[in-house]
Amino acid sequence: MGSTVGDPVVRLNLAVAVAMADGPEHGLRLVDALEPELAAYHLFHATRADLLRRLERPDEAAQAYLKALELVTNPTERAFLERRLSEL
């Protein structure tokens, strides 16, 4: 079995944990570093959006939510993202 530590989705989850423990600014730095690998992954953008929202950066959060909405295919996730966007 190979290590999953190098997997970008695992690192995205780690960034979320860091944000919860150390604050959204720390998590956002880690998330942003994953952009080259996860630019086509809707949860990357949704995570960025949530962290930006928590940092009270609504314009940037809205752009990230819009990008996530471009990529999402699951109707339930889409509804959640649309709701979050409308709350900004």
Side-chain angles (χ1 to χ4, degrees), residues 18-84:
V18 168
M20 293 174 74
D22 298 331
E25 63 281 344
H26 297 289
L28 184 61
R29 270 195 297 267
L30 295 174
V31 169
D32 283 345
L34 296 170
E35 199 268 337
E37 297 170 282
L38 296 177
Y41 184 47
H42 74 282
L43 292 178
F44 164 78
H45 298 284
T47 301
R48 280 193 84 246
D50 183 65
L51 294 174
L52 290 163
R53 180 187 59 80
R54 290 171 51 198
L55 288 166
E56 298 181 2
R57 293 164 55 182
D59 293 339
E60 292 171 273
Q63 290 303 311
Y65 279 126
L66 289 170
K67 184 61 180 179
L69 283 165
E70 286 177 19
L71 299 169
V72 70
T73 58
N74 180 293
T76 302
E77 290 177 340
R78 174 174 296 285
F80 175 79
L81 294 169
E82 288 172 344
R83 186 172 66 250
R84 281 297 176 114

